[in-house]
Amino acid sequence: MLNTKVPETDGSWLLEEVAGDLYRIGSMMLGDGEETIGLIEQAVATAEIPSCCDGDQARHNARVALAAAALELLSARGAAALAAPLGNFGPPNCIGDDDLSAAGVTPAELETLLTGPGRERLRGWLEGLPVVERAIFVLRAVAGLSTPEVAGLLALHGGQAARGWMPEAVSNLFRQALCSLASLLLLDSTHR
């Protein structure tokens, strides 16, 4: 069974909703398949979901548990992939704000991009990002985790080379991914 920690008063619909949400996030970080399903089972089993917890808090806790497990798996695949940047956090960004809307995309529009007819194009774009940039984008834009949460998760679960992650570096790489997404969307709109 996936989880016995979801409060009975919330019903099985919450577990199904959380599991579906986790699969989408996990598959964006790791790809589809058995590995992602195992990751979801691990995340749901280890997420702290107290009986007083509402649906939003349950989803958040499950997302944090999934992020931790996914980052550990990505680190095991290649420790350097999640290495913290040293000093300089990269080139200046085309977007000055650490927010999805700065790329001209609302959360509802991102949801449509993720689930609509153009989802394969977005998946292809995600797969083209460096591993750490993809993880940061998915955790910030899709999972809705904060910049400090993502920095902390990277530092704790990204392996030895990731110990130095700071919120400023996460913010910079997230803005770089947003610039890339904005370019993709602009290119798509000019080819219609």
Side-chain angles (χ1 to χ4, degrees), residues 1-87:
M1 196 67 186
L2 278 180
N3 186 353
T4 58
K5 295 183 181 182
V6 173
E8 288 182 24
T9 57
D10 286 343
S12 64
W13 65 269
L14 179 60
L15 178 58
E16 290 173 20
E17 186 177 302
V18 168
D21 180 56
L22 294 178
Y23 185 81
R24 182 174 63 161
I25 293 166
S27 68
M28 288 177 157
M29 290 182 70
L30 304 172
D32 293 323
E34 292 293 321
E35 193 173 50
T36 299
I37 292 170
L39 191 69
I40 292 163
E41 290 173 345
Q42 177 185 348
V44 172
T46 60
E48 294 181 27
I49 305 175
S51 61
C52 64
C53 198
D54 67 10
D56 290 338
Q57 188 63 49
R59 272 185 284 286
H60 180 80
N61 290 355
R63 288 173 178 179
V64 168
L66 176 84
L71 291 170
E72 288 172 4
L73 189 57
L74 288 170
S75 175
R77 286 181 180 174
L82 299 176
L86 302 174

Side-chain angles (χ1 to χ4, degrees), residues 17 34 45 47 64 98 102 105 110 149 160 168 181:
E17 186 177 302
E34 292 293 321
V64 168
D98 185 355
V105 180
L110 179 63
E149 282 178 306
Q160 188 64 33
E168 298 82 18
L181 177 61

Side-chain angles (χ1 to χ4, degrees), residues 66-136:
L66 176 84
L71 291 170
E72 288 172 4
L73 189 57
L74 288 170
S75 175
R77 286 181 180 174
L82 299 176
L86 302 174
N88 184 359
F89 299 131
N93 289 292
C94 69
I95 294 177
D97 192 11
D98 185 355
D99 186 67
L100 183 61
S101 62
V105 180
T106 66
E109 290 169 329
L110 179 63
E111 182 64 28
T112 300
L113 289 169
L114 294 171
T115 60
R119 70 181 170 267
E120 292 307 315
R121 177 123 162 91
L122 186 68
R123 287 286 183 130
W125 168 79
L126 270 173
E127 290 171 7
L129 292 175
V131 171
V132 72
E133 197 170 320
R134 181 178 68 232
I136 288 170

Side-chain angles (χ1 to χ4, degrees), residues 115-178:
T115 60
R119 70 181 170 267
E120 292 307 315
R121 177 123 162 91
L122 186 68
R123 287 286 183 130
W125 168 79
L126 270 173
E127 290 171 7
L129 292 175
V131 171
V132 72
E133 197 170 320
R134 181 178 68 232
I136 288 170
F137 179 83
V138 170
L139 294 177
R140 290 280 291 115
V142 181
L145 302 182
S146 71
T147 296
E149 282 178 306
V150 174
L153 285 163
L154 280 164
L156 287 173
H157 302 283
Q160 188 64 33
R163 299 279 184 245
W165 274 101
M166 302 296 290
E168 298 82 18
V170 169
S171 178
N172 188 60
L173 281 180
F174 182 57
R175 288 193 318 267
Q176 285 180 22
L178 290 175

